[in-house]
């Protein structure tokens, strides 16, 4: 069998436009909230206006009497909803485990207390506003200042972290804070649920149809075959759509109650309250080094806020134990309860806020040592993962730093604060390293090679906009030699072979082995038929003397053009299709992790321009070099990193969900007041990839390349801000108040 890379014209590694692009730009792609079914009703939740206390009364008499209203659901009539058993990745996971309306306790602002179902969205909205809710308020706490309310957990430890710190000549002890950030995919969360008296169909905005099905079946108390979940297209998610949230269950209860299909689309305001956020993190970093800049101790103690009932940990120390060489290290974590909806994974969970702290601290240490910050990192490059003693499957961080420095022109940097000028502006140049784990989840796939000369590949994963449709077609094309437009890709339906969640930057690495096995099995069937069927031009040949190339069956050693299109073989065999299936294992407990430390790495270089006289700060230029293994689709891969860097500009300068301490409400819960980086904020971007296939990880050597693009960006920018202005910002985002009065002396 050929390998995917044999052909000089391999579709692997090229820039390939998304095959679903025409569907999207022409408006034919059906997103969840586009789904309309006969008899569809609309549901709008009623949300709590206190952050802590009890629900004492619900008066919905007026709402029920309003035009078009079919029902008002509440604790007394919602029907049974169950809790899931394991809350594990294998058995189904949710971040908010309490089913909606389970009790009358209010634990966060915006918690659902009732649901109105009506003929139209407008009727349901008006009636929801007419529901009168009585509360008994209790004290709430949404403070951003954190102190652990439980013993901290030691996540990683080696050597004598305290001794290595105390005895070092150079020490740094600082605390870094990242605020609540809210995912703002443009597509709002939505569910269209349909109970037909026997089973449910859910159209969902989900990054995991498999997990959504697995949790819904448990919470509704039904066997798997009674719950189908469909998600054909998604307008992104950034992690907020990884796990099921209570509105899916509200929609299920609504269709169960009315016997009609029900659509529930969240408002942007609800997106800030009810479907997760990145929690506040508060991270104390202590670094110690000898006079040459060799680390002697690294201590990273972090806290994050969590909801009252759930226990989400933002693993800020994910990258800390393996990123740099140090004999002494300790990483601890702790959580603090707040009256907020449950936090959840947000693009690069853990590593992204964690690397803001670590990469800021490394810059501060470089300043104390009077050492170039690139050189400091190179001097602390580890040979193995010192937290486990395991070798890295593939690690080229130093080359990322060197190549990035070269492209950026780092050698021209003068270290003095405010010492670099251009066009009357002060320049700041900063650098940060980044890291993200190589993850792969279990996946199954099927491939049909059809007599009409086309192929179909199916996998129960989904495309959140990253290019999953395209990469699956590329994988089949790479083995069969078929052009992409002859390959149909079916995703986004739990009726398909179960596929991975779209998270952890893991889909591509997860599906490669399953799709390759399925494709090879289907090709093997074609070759066997070619040899066996009397009407075949190869009748009587040995199957293993035949080959598959350019979509044709031919004799080995001869060019594909000498053979016949594979569809002719299937026609001769009177078959509709030759089918193959593939299955690959994986997960957070991937056995390969016992042998290798598997991570992508990279380096970001940032330039800011600073005009102290008008207090204007801009990110003007970013150079990023990513070591992500083999890149399968250069265009989609670069898009991932570019998008992440723009998000990093927002993280550094804008994003901050503010809670009003009086009412416990997120107050900037809209896209006018919650600022995300836009085109006008986008710096000149130069993204490149090193090309070191990680073939220990999979046959093609591809690791994940999405989330790593965000890791480290905010630190590169705040390090540049320090270089320009002399102001060290340790609490994101950088505000203009942080900088007022700075830089005048320079
Ligand atoms: Mo990503 S936070 O794993 O969707």
């Amino acid at each position: 069998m050929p390998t995917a890379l044999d052909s000089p014209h391999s579709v692997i590694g090229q820039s390939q436009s998304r095959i679903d692009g025409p569907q999207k730009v022409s408006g034919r792609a059906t997103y969840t909230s586009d789904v309309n079914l006969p008899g569809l009703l609309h549901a709008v939740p009623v949300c709590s206006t206190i952050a802590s206390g009890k629900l004492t009364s619900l008066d919905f008499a007026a709402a029920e009497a309003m035009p078009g209203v079919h029902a008002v659901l509440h604790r007394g009539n919602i029907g049974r909803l169950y809790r899931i058993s394991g809350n594990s990745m294998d058995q189904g996971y949710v971040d908010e485990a309490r089913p909606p309306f389970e009790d009358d306790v209010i634990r966060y602002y915006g918690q659902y207390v009732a649901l109105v179902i009506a003929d139209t969205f407008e009727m349901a909205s008006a009636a929801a506003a007419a529901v009168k809710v009585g509360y008994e308020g209790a004290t709430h706490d949404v403070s951003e200042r954190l102190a652990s309310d439980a013993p901290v957990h030691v996540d990683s430890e080696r050597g004598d972290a305290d001794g290595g710190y105390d005895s070092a000549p150079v020490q740094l002890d600082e605390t870094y804070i990242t605020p609540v950030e809210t995912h703002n995919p443009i597509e709002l969360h939505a569910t269209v649920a349909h109970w037909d008296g026997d089973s449910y169909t859910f159209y969902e905005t989900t990054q995991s149809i498999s997990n959504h099905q697995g949790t819904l079946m448990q919470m509704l108390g039904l066997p798997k075959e009674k719950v189908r979940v469909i998600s054909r297209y998604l307008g992104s998610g950034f992690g907020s759509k990884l796990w099921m949230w209570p509105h899916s269950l509200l929609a299920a209860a609504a269709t169960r109650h009315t016997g009609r299909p029900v659509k529930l689309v969240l408002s942007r305001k609800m997106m800030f309250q009810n479907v997760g956020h990145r929690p506040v993190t508060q991270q104390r970093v202590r670094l110690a080094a000898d006079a040459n800049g060799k680390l002697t101790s690294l201590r990273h103690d972090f806290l994050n806020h969590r909801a009252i009932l759930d226990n989400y940990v933002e693993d800020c120390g994910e990258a800390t134990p393996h990123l740099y060489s140090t004999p002494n290290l300790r990483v601890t974590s702790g959580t603090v309860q707040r009256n907020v909806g449950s936090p959840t994974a947000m693009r690069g969970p853990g590593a992204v806020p964690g690397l803001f702290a670590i990469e800021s601290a490394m810059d501060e240490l470089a300043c104390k040592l009077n050492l170039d910050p690139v050189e400091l990192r190179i001097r602390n490059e580890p040979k193995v993962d010192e937290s486990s003693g395991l070798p890295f499957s593939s690690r080229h961080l130093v080359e990322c730093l060197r190549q990035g420095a070269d492209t950026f022109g780092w050698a021209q940097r003068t270290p003095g604060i405010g010492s670099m000028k251009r066009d009357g502006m002060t320049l700041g140049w900063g650098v940060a390293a980044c890291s993200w784990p190589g993850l792969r989840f279990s996946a199954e796939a099927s491939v049909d090679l059809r007599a009409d000369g086309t192929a179909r590949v199916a996998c129960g994963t989904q495309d959140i906009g990253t290019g999953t449709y395209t990469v699956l077609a590329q994988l089949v094309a790479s083995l069969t030699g078929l052009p992409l437009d002859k390959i149909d890709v079916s995703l986004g339906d739990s009726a398909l072979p179960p596929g991975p969640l779209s998270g952890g930057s893991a889909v591509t690495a997860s599906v490669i082995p399953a799709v390759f096995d399925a494709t090879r099995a289907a090709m093997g069937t074609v070759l066997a038929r070619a040899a066996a069927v009397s009407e075949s031009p190869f009748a009587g040949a040995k199957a293993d003397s035949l080959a598959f190339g350019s979509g044709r069956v031919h004799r080995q050693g001869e060019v594909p053009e000498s053979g016949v299109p594979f569809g002719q073989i299937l026609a001769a065999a009177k078959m509709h299709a030759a089918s193959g299936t593939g299955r690959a294992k994986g997960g957070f407990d991937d056995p390969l992790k016992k042998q290798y430390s598997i991570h992508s790495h990279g380096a970001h270089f940032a330039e800011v321009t600073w005009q102290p006289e008008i207090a204007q700060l801009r990110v003007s230029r970013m150079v990023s070099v990513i070591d992500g293994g083999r890149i399968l689709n250069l265009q989609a891969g670069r898009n991932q990193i570019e998008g992440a860097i723009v998000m990093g500009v927002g993280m550094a300068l804008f994003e901050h969900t503010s809670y009003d301490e009086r009412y416990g409400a997120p107050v900037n819960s809209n896209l006018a007041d919650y600022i995300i980086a836009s085109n006008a904020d986008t710096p000149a971007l130069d993204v490149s990839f090193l090309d070191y296939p990680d073939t220990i990880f999979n046959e093609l050597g591809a690791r994940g390349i999405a989330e790593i693009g965000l890791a480290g960006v905010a630190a590169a920018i705040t390090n540049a801000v320090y270089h320009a202005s002399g102001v060290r910002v340790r609490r994101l985002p950088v505000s203009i108040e942080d900088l007022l009065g700075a830089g005048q002396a320079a």
Side-chain angles (χ1 to χ4, degrees), residues 450-452 533 535 565-577:
R450 299 183 289 210
D452 66 0
V533 172
E535 291 85 352
F566 77 87
Q568 282 186 25
I569 304 293
L570 294 171
K574 302 182 173 56
M575 289 167 66
H576 171 255

Side-chain angles (χ1 to χ4, degrees), residues 367-644:
C367 292
K368 285 197 176 214
L369 288 158
N370 212 5
L371 187 64
D372 181 89
V374 173
E375 178 60 24
L376 174 65
R377 288 170 173 85
I378 291 171
R379 285 188 193 178
N380 288 289
E381 171 71 8
K383 291 193 170 57
V384 298
D385 182 335
E386 293 178 1
S387 68
S388 59
L390 295 175
F392 293 105
S393 61
S394 178
R395 170 171 166 137
H396 303 275
L397 174 57
V398 170
E399 188 173 334
C400 291
L401 287 161
R402 291 214 163 103
Q403 182 175 315
D406 200 44
T407 306
F408 191 80
W410 188 257
Q412 262 71 81
R413 183 178 186 266
T414 54
I417 287 165
S419 64
M420 297 179 71
K421 307 278 183 192
R422 189 179 65 214
D423 302 334
M425 294 183 290
T426 305
L427 300 183
W429 285 7
V431 62
C434 61
S435 166
W436 184 251
L439 298 169
R440 52 183 198 182
F441 302 121
S442 55
E444 296 181 31
S446 67
V447 169
D448 301 324
L449 295 170
R450 299 183 289 210
D452 66 0
T454 66
R456 172 182 188 264
V457 54
C459 179
T461 186
Q462 51 286 310
D463 189 334
I464 59 173
T466 46
T468 303
Y469 277 107
T470 310
V471 88
L472 282 171
Q474 286 180 276
L475 292 174
V476 173
S478 71
L479 292 183
T480 61
L482 284 173
L484 294 181
D485 63 6
K486 296 261 192 240
I487 301 168
D488 295 331
V489 182
S490 289
L491 306 177
D493 187 336
S494 61
L496 299 172
L501 59 86
S502 297
S505 307
V507 168
T508 298
S510 304
V511 299
I512 287 169
V515 172
F516 273 9
D517 284 357
T519 308
R520 289 185 171 122
M523 288 161 63
T525 298
V526 172
L527 296 187
R529 292 287 89 200
V533 172
S534 58
E535 291 85 352
S536 158
F538 305 104
K542 282 204 163 63
D544 61 11
S545 74
L546 301 177
F548 204 114
S550 300
R552 302 166 81 89
V553 176
H554 60 93
R555 289 184 201 281
Q556 280 194 11
E558 295 180 12
V559 294
E561 291 67 35
S562 67
V564 299
F566 77 87
Q568 282 186 25
I569 304 293
L570 294 171
K574 302 182 173 56
M575 289 167 66
H576 171 255
S579 300
T581 58
R583 176 191 296 243
K585 285 201 186 323
F588 285 113
D589 54 355
D590 187 344
L592 195 63
K593 286 189 185 173
K594 293 203 167 60
Q595 295 173 266
Y596 294 96
S597 176
I598 307 163
H599 298 267
S600 290
H601 291 92
H604 297 292
F605 291 79
E607 177 184 271
V608 300
T609 59
W610 168 231
Q611 293 171 272
E613 62 282 7
I614 55 168
Q616 185 175 85
L617 178 77
R618 306 207 28 113
V619 183
S620 48
R621 192 161 70 91
M622 294 279 311
V623 170
S624 300
V625 181
I626 304 296
D627 166 29
R630 188 191 303 281
I631 304 305
L632 305 193
N633 182 344
L634 196 57
Q635 175 180 322
R638 198 177 274 144
N639 288 167
Q640 283 298 303
I641 303 299
E642 289 170 344

